[in-house]
Amino acid sequence: KGINAYANFVTLLGGRPIMAMDEVFKLMGYRAELYAQAYRSQAQAKQAALDAGKTADEAEMQGLARMAEILSDPPKNIDDAATDFSHMITFSRKLTGAAAKVQELAQEHLIGRITMPFIKTPVWVASESMQHSMIAPLSSQWRADFAAGGAKRELAMAKWGMGTMLMMGVGSYVADGRITGGGPGDTNLRKIYMDS
């Protein structure tokens, strides 16, 4: 009864607000990717209309009609891409491979549920961290996104490039001694350190 009371307390005061915020961020990510997909389709429809000999105004109207169509009733492939993006930004994609087996094992046994209550989020946080670094090609998710081509490849390359650039920039500042951390706790040593 005590454990059940504690679980209810955690769910009411901690779990529900966290779950609500998770849903808010999933919705924001879904809408952002849906709009991006619709915008890409609009640009493609507009270019196709121009290639077919339509005037600029007619091509613009065709593009806007395509965008409105996607936003009002997204096709399955666009809906899936937007859902996947929303899960990516909230670290809640479905696990695959060894990570999925670890999650199944943890959920099957009471000890596993107690010692490893969260598997999915830490795995995806680690994966996304890897994808935003110099070692991104070691991530199977990064390789899959790269192989997919199009916008997924561009996002994968942006993650790799920006993460590598930041790591190299910050690393050079650390090597030069421009970034040093908090320094000593002793006030006198700290003053000497700051003066130098």
Side-chain angles (χ1 to χ4, degrees), residues 43-57:
Q44 291 167 352
K46 183 178 173 181
Q47 188 59 49
L50 288 172
D51 292 345
K54 303 277 186 186
T55 67
D57 288 341

Side-chain angles (χ1 to χ4, degrees), residues 52-86:
K54 303 277 186 186
T55 67
D57 288 341
E58 290 172 331
E60 184 71 30
M61 292 306 293
Q62 253 184 288
L64 290 173
R66 177 68 181 141
M67 189 175 190
E69 178 186 324
I70 288 173
L71 289 173
S72 63
D73 186 24
K76 181 167 178 17
N77 65 325
I78 290 178
D79 182 62
D80 289 346
T83 301
D84 181 59
F85 185 81
S86 75

Side-chain angles (χ1 to χ4, degrees), residues 8 32 35 52-53 56 59 64 67 85-86 95 124 136 159 166 172 179:
N8 288 334
Y35 187 82
L64 290 173
M67 189 175 190
F85 185 81
S86 75
L95 292 175
W124 282 117
K159 288 177 182 180
L166 285 170
S172 71
I179 296 177

Side-chain angles (χ1 to χ4, degrees), residues 184-195:
D186 181 86
T187 309
N188 291 329
L189 284 174
R190 187 178 181 85
K191 183 176 180 343
I192 294 167
Y193 187 72
M194 293 296 284
D195 289 344

Side-chain angles (χ1 to χ4, degrees), residues 168-180:
M168 289 174 67
V170 170
S172 71
Y173 272 48
V174 170
D176 290 348
R178 294 184 210 173
I179 296 177
T180 59

Side-chain angles (χ1 to χ4, degrees), residues 53 89 94 97 138:
I89 66 167
K94 187 174 181 180
L138 298 177

